[in-house]
Every structure is written in C-alpha cells, then in structure tokens.
Amino acid sequence: MEIWSAAILLFLIMDPLGNMPVFLSILKAVPRERRNKILIRELFIALTIMLLFLYTGQTFLAIMNLKQEAVSIAGAIILFIIAIRMIFPAKGRSIMGDTPDGEPMIVPLATPLIAGPSLLAAIMLLANQDPGRLFDWTVAVISAWFVSACILMCSGKLYDLLRERGLFALERLMGMILVMLSVQMFLDGVIHYVKGV
C-alpha cells in the first residue's frame, strides 16, 4: 500500500465530516472561547494514541499470538459495520452511539470518535503488514490526522456552509467508499489465509 492510499484509508475511518455534528453537540455547552482549546487538546491526545498503536501494535499482536489475516478480517468487519451505520444511521444517534454532555476529557472526542477501535485496528494492520515501513505509516497517520484536525477545527464554519443536507450527502458518500475498502480488506485477509494453509 502506498503512503497516500494508507492516509486516505485512515482519513475515511476517522470520518471527521460524519463526526462533526457530534463534536458540535458535545461542545455546545462549553463557552465558545474554550472550544478550540479543548479540540486542540483532544486532537493531540488522539494523535498520541494512534502513534502508540503504530509503534507498539506489532508487539501486542505477537503477545496475543494474532496472525495478520485475523487482524485484517476483524478490521474489515468493524469497518463494514461503521460504513453501514454511516449510510443508514439510527435516528437521533451518532455513528458511535450516545455521548455524554459537558466538557470532555479524552472520552468521547479523542477516543472513540477520532482514534476509534477500527482506526487503531487499521493502524496495527499497516504496521503488521510491513514493519520496515514504519516511517511511511507515520507520515500516513500524521497526514490523515492533520486533514481531519483542520476539518474539525473549522467545524462551525463548515457546518454553516454545508448545512445538514450537505453533511448528510458527504457522509453517505464516505460510507460507500468505506464499504468498498472494507470488502477489499476482507478479501485480502481471506486470500492470504488460504495461501498460507
């Protein structure tokens, strides 16, 4: 996988456009002057979590005795479920379920909304597939995070520009792309497993 394709995959899993209404609703009770400070803090916490999983994921897989194919297939299933929720969301609920009100700290903004289970599984999968390219994967992680951070930092303005219909359409489009990526990940995992048997 190339750096840019890995970055796009991670960006789609982060789904900043889909999470934008959730971020706005969580931070609505927080004074406007505090919102950006909280968002910056949560974004950097999420980046730290992602890089931690990138560099220690290989060790974790070895300790748990997990094969690459199992991680690929499990990641594909999680991605598929999230993509289906993006395309057919439950009424009145976010993609990740209910979130608490008030000023957040780590949960739910940093994790699971930015650095969620499917993203961390995908990052571990990248590190496991080609451990010699950790620098490339670091660039991909930081690139996807940076674009997501820019979108989330401009969430108020973007929401005013796109409105609910625009965000609705973009989220469905990202969901469709994610469905295709998850199916490809699943097929790759099955093919590698069959070849290894």
Side-chain angles (χ1 to χ4, degrees):
M1 186 179 281
E2 298 296 325
I3 295 175
W4 64 269
S5 56
I8 291 170
L9 172 65
L10 297 175
F11 171 77
L12 288 171
I13 299 169
M14 283 187 213
D15 188 24
L17 291 170
N19 285 330
M20 193 185 299
V22 181
F23 274 66
L24 291 171
S25 66
I26 290 170
L27 296 173
K28 69 182 176 186
V30 177
R32 187 175 290 272
E33 61 273 9
R34 285 277 304 149
R35 288 179 194 171
N36 281 348
K37 291 178 183 175
I38 292 167
L39 198 47
I40 290 168
R41 181 192 69 207
E42 296 298 305
L43 284 164
F44 276 102
I45 291 170
L47 179 61
T48 303
I49 293 169
M50 287 186 271
L51 292 175
L52 187 68
F53 269 77
L54 178 64
Y55 284 94
T56 62
Q58 187 76 12
T59 306
F60 175 77
L61 291 177
I63 291 169
M64 298 298 291
N65 199 26
L66 291 171
K67 291 185 180 177
Q68 176 186 325
E69 294 84 1
V71 178
S72 179
I73 292 169
I77 292 167
I78 293 169
L79 283 183
F80 186 80
I81 292 168
I82 287 178
I84 293 299
R85 287 185 181 180
M86 287 169 71
I87 299 168
F88 307 107
K91 194 172 181 180
R93 289 176 64 107
S94 72
I95 293 165
M96 307 304 283
D98 295 326
T99 53
D101 292 324
E103 186 171 318
M105 179 63 179
I106 301 176
V107 177
L109 298 186
T111 185
L113 289 175
I114 301 171
S118 54
L119 180 69
L120 299 178
I123 288 170
M124 284 171 54
L125 178 62
L126 286 174
N128 189 49
Q129 279 181 334
D130 204 340
R133 295 179 62 196
L134 279 180
F135 178 76
D136 291 350
W137 306 143
T138 303
V139 171
V141 167
I142 292 173
S143 301
W145 171 85
F146 181 75
V147 175
S148 296
C150 290
I151 289 170
L152 291 170
M153 289 302 294
C154 301
S155 56
K157 292 176 183 176
L158 279 171
Y159 188 78
D160 292 340
L161 180 69
L162 295 173
R163 301 287 179 186
E164 280 193 40
R165 286 182 183 272
L167 286 174
F168 182 88
L170 275 172
E171 190 177 353
R172 299 309 171 275
L173 177 62
M174 290 173 77
M176 285 299 298
I177 294 168
L178 207 53
V179 164
M180 292 183 277
L181 287 168
S182 67
V183 170
Q184 187 62 55
M185 274 179 69
F186 183 86
L187 292 174
D188 289 346
V190 170
I191 289 166
H192 283 226
Y193 178 76
V194 171
K195 282 182 179 177
V197 171

